[in-house]
Amino acid sequence: MQVRVERLPGGTDDAARALLELEGPDDSARLTSDLFQEEGVLDMELIPAADEE
């Protein structure tokens, strides 16, 4: 798994964007749903890897 965190441009708070690259057969939709339930998470987007399309 790879993780990249980026500060949002022009932000004055602790807001950031996190990109997770996952490998394997795990249920990424469930992970997305679980993460969205965490306090402070404002948005989630699930994008299939290029080789999964």
Side-chain angles (χ1 to χ4, degrees):
M1 174 170 65
Q2 293 182 7
V3 178
R4 185 174 73 210
V5 178
E6 303 170 346
R7 303 277 292 163
L8 296 179
T12 58
D13 55 15
D14 291 335
R17 175 181 296 122
L19 172 64
L20 308 175
E21 289 188 33
L22 307 174
E23 296 179 7
D26 292 336
D27 187 355
S28 55
R30 180 174 175 204
L31 174 62
T32 301
S33 177
D34 290 348
L35 288 173
F36 190 66
Q37 300 302 315
E38 292 295 316
E39 183 177 341
V41 175
L42 303 177
D43 190 26
M44 292 293 302
E45 182 177 5
L46 179 60
I47 302 171
D51 61 339
E52 292 180 10
E53 294 178 335

